[in-house]
Structure formats: structure tokens, C-alpha cells
Amino acid sequence: GSSVAAGSGMFPLMLFYCIGIAVKSQSDVTTCSNIPIAEVPVNLRLVGGSHSAEGRVEVLYEGEWGTICDDNWNIKNAEVICRMLGYPVALSSKGNAAYGVGSGTILLDDVQCDGDEANIADCSHSGWGVSNCGHAEDASVECSSTPLSAIVRLTGGDTAAEGRVEVLLSFNETWGTICDDNFDYVDAQVICRMLGYAGTLRVQSFGAGSGPIWFDDVA
């Protein structure tokens, strides 16, 4: 079959819409009797970034390019956008027109994805063209063309087998830390196995780190 180049392109799934609700086949249209149905190809692009895998998210709807408001914009939404564009990993979701303000209609607002949707139109949203935002709130994403990997180390302990967990991610050369929200014994076991240790004795504090906090709410 045909392939879609990373960064932009027509997503092949065709959706039908009725009063703002996506249905996936003509058989579902029976719930929309006497309401006009439009077949909508979902087309995305990233604009304003320093490379093709980052930028302001723009959506083509009924022949017009528009933007997405950053209300409720988060990494799960970014994961859907990045996958649609052919990237395996979403590195970040950004608001406040991080890559400059767009123009035209703000086509989507209050987007809330679970993260496993095949299409941004499958996520909950306010309806096409329904928004209370300005372009200063345009949403953006940063994607990665390579799977995310991490190196971990322990610092601040009395031995090599204890300390504050620090992480070096494959897309960045800066060591960072993990927030302790929800971090527990099970998470510690994963860290210890990554470092070659057989198990975990306890979870405790070894002082504050520096640099970015790469992970939060690890579970």
C-alpha cells in the first residue's frame, strides 16, 4: 500500500460526521437521520518548528487550514498527532503558541485523547470550529522519529547501589530526574533491574537534583 511521509500528509481513514460526533461507517449513520453527513479526510501538518517533527499543529478541514486550541492539550493528544504523522514517539505537548501564532479558524478545542486513538477526530472535542480561544493559545507538539530510550544512574548515595534516580533520554544530552508522585517499590524494581541489580531494598530520598524533571506520575 502507499506510505505517508513523516511530518505531513493525508491520513487515510475517512470519517463521517453528524452534529460533531464521529461515526466510522455508513451503517452508523442511521442515528443521524435527516441530518446532512460530510465525509471528512483528516490532514495534519506541523508548522514553525526547527525541523519537520515539531511545530504548531494545523488541521485541514473542508479545504481550510486551521489550528487547535491548547485547552486540555497534553502528551496523550500529542501521541495521537505524532502517530498520525508517522512518528513513533511524542516527546512533548506545548501550548501558548510555542511555535508562533497561526491564522484562520481554530478548528478544535478541548481535545481530550486517551492516547491510543488512530485519529485526532476520534478524541473528545468541542466540535469542528467550536472554540473560545485566540491564536495565542495554539497547540503544538514535538515528535521523535526514533523510539525513546533511556539510561539511568544513581547519584548521592553512599554506594553505587543507592541514590537519587537520574535519567538521560535518547533525544537529549541533559541528565534529569523523576518526580516522586506515585513512585513506589514497583517502579524502583524496574530501575534496579535496568542497573543490573536483582532487587530493591527500599525507596527513600537522596537529596534534590538539578536539570529537567523528565518523568512524573510514573506507574
Side-chain angles (χ1 to χ4, degrees):
S2 61
S3 61
V4 179
S8 65
M10 188 70 71
F11 189 76
L13 178 64
M14 306 293 284
L15 299 178
F16 295 87
Y17 284 83
C18 114
I19 52 174
I21 300 173
V23 292
K24 297 182 180 180
S25 70
Q26 289 282 14
S27 62
D28 293 330
V29 175
T30 55
T31 59
C32 310
S33 58
N34 301 320
I35 299 174
I37 305 299
E39 189 178 40
V40 183
V42 178
N43 197 3
L44 297 178
R45 66 185 182 188
L46 301 181
V47 179
S50 60
H51 54 81
S52 61
E54 66 176 15
R56 179 178 63 256
V57 181
E58 296 194 349
V59 183
L60 183 64
Y61 178 73
E62 294 187 343
E64 176 190 11
W65 285 100
T67 61
I68 300 177
C69 179
D70 64 5
D71 291 347
N72 298 315
W73 194 246
N74 58 35
I75 193 65
K76 292 185 181 298
N77 300 336
E79 288 171 356
V80 176
I81 294 292
C82 291
R83 278 201 308 275
M84 288 181 67
L85 293 171
Y87 298 108
V89 175
L91 300 179
S92 66
S93 60
K94 301 179 181 181
N96 299 315
Y99 294 97
V101 297
S103 59
T105 304
I106 298 173
L107 291 171
L108 291 172
D109 190 7
D110 294 316
V111 177
Q112 297 185 67
C113 303
D114 293 328
D116 57 359
E117 293 87 351
N119 193 299
I120 194 68
D122 294 335
C123 303
S124 171
H125 57 82
S126 298
W128 289 98
V130 179
S131 173
N132 59 358
C133 302
H135 281 294
E137 300 171 85
D138 284 343
S140 304
V141 301
E142 183 183 2
C143 308
S144 175
S145 58
T146 58
L148 186 64
S149 61
I151 299 171
V152 296
R153 68 183 183 188
L154 302 179
T155 60
D158 293 330
T159 71
E162 65 178 18
R164 179 178 60 255
V165 180
E166 296 190 346
V167 182
L168 182 67
L169 298 179
S170 54
F171 69 90
N172 194 290
E173 297 181 355
T174 303
W175 285 94
T177 58
I178 300 176
C179 180
D180 64 3
D181 291 347
N182 297 319
F183 194 88
D184 59 17
Y185 187 83
V186 174
D187 305 315
Q189 285 182 311
V190 175
I191 297 295
C192 290
R193 285 198 300 269
M194 289 179 68
L195 292 167
Y197 297 109
T200 301
L201 296 179
R202 60 185 176 275
V203 177
Q204 67 182 75
S205 175
F206 287 92
S210 60
I213 298 173
W214 286 128
F215 293 102
D216 189 12
D217 294 316
V218 174

